[in-house]
Amino acid sequence: MPVDDADAWLLATDPALRWQVERDLLGAPPQQWQATRRRIAQEGFGARLLDLQGEDGMWAGGAYFPGGFFEDPANQDLPGQPWTATTWSLTALREWGMDPAPLRENGAVERLARHARWEYDDLPYWGGEVDCCINAMTLANGLWLGAEVGAIADWLLAHQLEDGGWNCDWVEGSQRSSFHSTINALGGLLALEEATGGTQAVRAARRRGEEYLLRRHLHRRLSTGESVGPFVDRFRYPFRWEYSVLRALDHLRRASALDGTAPDPRAGEAIGMVRAARQEDGTWLQGPVLPGAVWFAVDVPEAEPSPWLTLHARRVLDWWEA
């Protein structure tokens, strides 16, 4: 399905996406994109997801997986995990840019503190658990909602590996970082800096993690120079936990804005991958969507022009070319 006018096509979307198009791609005045942003909690994706929150403050009755997920043997053969539980739902609302006021007003932080426990060792929700990616999302979500999550920030700093990155398999003894774990951990630390200004230790850890990726040109093995895997230029939205060079570039774009620095030339190969995926009509196509139950679809099926990917790709190219 070719797109005749990419800007008009992007504007004819949900408020969760449209306000970002107005602000970041079209340079609309603040009063316009701020008005669109306020609509997230009132209509479309944001309103629908808010309505699915349970009386206990959770979504689907669970922290990272739906309640009772592991008690049902049929779930062990599913092709992918569900994306409906609390952490994924909060992450979506935050990444869409929704004002957290409705959740603060309904006591979400306090209700989750009372009722939500991690599937790992029944640990309390706002204390985090042992997975770098889960803790990074919970740090960012907690900062957004106003929860006390300082202990999770300290945990991420303490679990940075010698090579500068992170690996969720550290608990199994892994000492080599993972691209997937590293991009998630970096997102949590950047959210901390954006929300609070951070500390020297947080900035140093974040920059060490970025250096881990940049030394590898965002997609290569340091040992052989070969690509770390087919996922690096497999672009799909929602991103979930998975790494791609598009996701890494979007992180570096935000970090560059925070630090007041120019793009690092070592990201140039990754920029080339993003450019190569652009279609003649100015869109980017959805890749294979990660399997797993969702509350509702927020983007298009595989091989169709994706408004979310087009937003992210155009944003990083604008940053690079500025």
Side-chain angles (χ1 to χ4, degrees):
M1 181 199 73
V3 173
D4 294 330
D5 183 336
D7 286 348
W9 171 71
L10 286 169
L11 287 171
T13 53
D14 190 271
L17 190 156
R18 186 162 65 249
W19 78 268
Q20 299 180 69
V21 173
E22 293 171 343
R23 184 191 68 176
D24 298 336
L25 301 186
L26 304 182
Q31 60 267 30
Q32 178 178 333
W33 62 259
Q34 288 170 359
T36 304
R37 191 178 192 175
R38 286 193 292 271
R39 293 167 58 187
I40 297 172
Q42 303 163 5
E43 63 183 79
F45 298 156
R48 289 180 68 183
L49 196 49
L50 279 175
D51 285 344
L52 291 163
Q53 185 184 22
E55 289 297 319
D56 54 9
M58 294 190 282
W59 279 261
Y64 194 76
F65 292 88
F69 180 81
F70 293 103
E71 283 70 48
D72 186 347
N75 290 334
Q76 308 314 307
D77 297 324
L78 293 176
Q81 75 168 86
W83 310 106
T84 53
T86 301
T87 300
W88 295 110
S89 297
L90 287 177
T91 297
L93 292 169
R94 173 179 55 80
E95 290 183 344
W96 292 340
M98 191 191 84
D99 187 323
L103 291 168
R104 291 178 178 175
E105 291 165 3
N106 75 23
V109 170
E110 296 77 16
R111 287 193 287 165
L112 291 174
R114 286 195 301 271
H115 301 295
R117 312 288 294 191
W118 291 110
E119 291 79 13
Y120 182 91
D121 277 0
D122 199 40
L123 294 169
Y125 191 75
W126 294 120
E129 49 122 286
V130 300
D131 184 287
C132 302
C133 300
I134 293 174
N135 283 349
M137 283 189 282
T138 307
L139 173 61
N141 292 340
L143 290 163
W144 173 62
L145 290 174
E148 175 48 59
V149 287
I152 302 179
D154 293 340
W155 186 96
L156 280 173
L157 297 187
H159 287 80
Q160 189 171 26
L161 299 176
E162 287 297 318
D163 59 13
W166 286 261
N167 194 322
C168 294
D169 288 336
W170 73 271
V171 73
E172 264 84 50
S174 178
Q175 294 297 309
R176 297 178 62 185
S177 293
S178 152
F179 275 57
H180 302 298
S181 301
T182 299
I183 196 60
N184 283 285
L186 285 173
L189 294 181
L190 185 60
L192 177 61
E193 290 186 75
E194 290 172 333
T196 69
T199 63
Q200 185 173 351
V202 169
R203 281 189 293 278
R206 191 252 301 170
R207 289 169 181 164
R208 277 187 66 212
E210 291 164 358
E211 182 65 17
Y212 169 85
L213 295 176
L214 286 164
R215 286 185 68 198
R216 294 158 175 80
H217 296 270
L218 306 190
H219 74 107
R220 297 187 181 278
R221 297 185 188 279
L222 200 60
S223 56
T224 66
E226 297 176 347
S227 175
V228 294
F231 56 83
V232 295
D233 60 352
R234 186 168 56 206
F235 305 150
R236 50 190 174 193
Y237 187 87
F239 295 130
R240 307 301 187 194
W241 52 266
E242 190 176 56
Y243 180 90
S244 71
V245 296
L246 177 57
R247 189 175 177 192
L249 289 165
D250 203 46
H251 168 87
L252 292 174
R253 176 189 66 84
R254 289 171 53 204
S256 177
L258 184 67
D259 292 340
T261 56
D264 191 298
R266 291 172 293 178
E269 290 183 8
I271 287 288
M273 293 181 186
V274 175
R275 285 189 180 131
R278 179 168 47 196
Q279 304 299 297
E280 290 186 3
D281 59 8
T283 68
W284 277 256
L285 302 183
Q286 178 78 283
V289 179
L290 281 170
V294 297
W295 289 116
F296 49 84
V298 297
D299 207 350
V300 296
E302 181 179 351
E304 292 190 13
S306 161
W308 282 103
L309 292 177
T310 300
L311 164 68
H312 281 87
R314 283 183 54 180
R315 199 156 50 185
V316 300
L317 293 181
D318 286 350
W319 160 69
W320 183 261
E321 295 163 1

